[in-house]
Amino acid sequence: MQPRKPLLINGCTGEGGGQLVRLACALAAVTSQPIRITNVRGNRSRGGGLKAQHVAAIEWLAKASEAEVDGLVVGSSTLEFRPTAPPTALKNRSIVIKPESRGASALLIFQAVFPYLLFSGNESGDPIELEIHGSTNSSFSPSYEYLDQVLLPTLEERYSIVVERRLKKRAWTIGPLGEGIIWLKFHPIPPGQSLQLTRPWNDRRQPGDREKMKRIDVSVLVPHAMREVVERAMVERLGTEFPEAEVKFVLSEDSGHDARMYVLAVAHSETGLCWGRDFLYDRSWKRKQATTLAKEIAKTITKRLWEQMVVYAAAVDEYLQDQLVVFQALAKGRSTYWNRATEKFDAEAQLDSGNDIDEVNKGLEDLRLDKKMKKDKTHEPFGFGSTHATTARWVASELIPTIQWFNNGTICEGAGISL
């Protein structure tokens, strides 16, 4: 049998950065689909090519999937990845990934390797233990706090993916570089079974979804002298915009350096939804007083959270939307969640169906609305949301053509991958 021809992917497409590379290699490894990526991270103004975190993740994927790889060096603008061994062939259940660069994001490495590991179940039901070295709080990457408080709880609640995790050591890319370590343990999907959406989101906004917040969990990592003033500023700002919500500080930690300032706020609705917005301070700070910095941080976080919930309203936050695409794509069946785009389609469908349908015909109306699903074209990044989300849908559709998307990317008919 002749080897499969590599799927050609232009790395400049859509967001044109590392997310495209991580997702393409992750899905290629799961499906044993060879790929060739040109113009790697070609849209990055500070220089494209592979970074240390990409090399570390792909090196591990290549070893696990027994892949042949070309161009796997830092700075390479072309990568060919030809995996042969499926996830179920994985023997090692205790994994350590340690990139050469301390500044490499442990969280971005996790994004690249987790799909493969999720499908690496064996007949004995053995768990996977994963330790990743690298930064835990860095620019252009999710923080460990976001993983811990938003992504993993969502995967557990919606897909029944239970991941134990622990931050063994924190590391920043601001100030002196250190080596962070995150530890995770989970049971992969058993052989022959597929990922399931066990608790679907509502496709329409429900009372209490957004109107009234139950609480806002706040994580504060700032210099010791600033912790109290930042906490006061957060309570004041959040209390003004969300007066009904309890502000709860779930983490307050000395960042260990004057330039390290990070805050995450996670809002929880009465109906169980959550949205996270954060701020890793990246502005000039040396001539600013602590109170000024605290007010600036609180104002920025509160504004971002308010915009997420009001301007860009959706059942999941903007950062989570693109991270969920891979799970929507791999899972069996249909997934959707309410957002601005679904509400637009609902309004258009209701106008088309007319205003004279009585209760007796309500079931027939629902059937007609279901038939109004418009299949999306997937030859380029598409759908609602950020460039990262539209690019993720395109990459997933290129690697797994059996995925179907409808209504501007709001509905996904997953591939139901089973190995």
Side-chain angles (χ1 to χ4, degrees), residues 286-299:
K286 287 186 177 180
R287 297 184 180 181
K288 296 178 181 178
Q289 294 183 346
T291 52
T292 302
L293 286 167
K295 289 179 180 179
E296 188 179 355
I297 292 169
K299 180 181 178 181

Side-chain angles (χ1 to χ4, degrees), residues 22-23 25-33 57 60-67 81 83-93 95 109-121 128 130 186 188-189 326-327 330 419:
R22 288 188 298 275
L23 182 55
C25 289
L27 291 177
V30 170
T31 60
S32 298
Q33 166 66 55
W60 184 85
L61 283 173
K63 183 178 180 180
S65 65
E66 300 177 12
F81 180 70
T84 60
T88 49
L90 184 70
K91 302 299 182 185
N92 184 15
R93 320 305 285 182
I95 297 152
I109 293 172
F110 171 78
Q111 286 184 1
V113 303
F114 186 59
Y116 188 87
L117 290 170
L118 186 60
F119 281 86
S120 65
I128 293 287
L130 173 62
F186 54 92
I189 298 167
V326 64
F327 302 101
L330 291 169
L419 302 174

Side-chain angles (χ1 to χ4, degrees), residues 35 44 68 184-185 278:
I35 58 172
R44 290 298 172 260
E68 296 179 0
L184 309 103
K185 182 179 180 180
D278 60 0

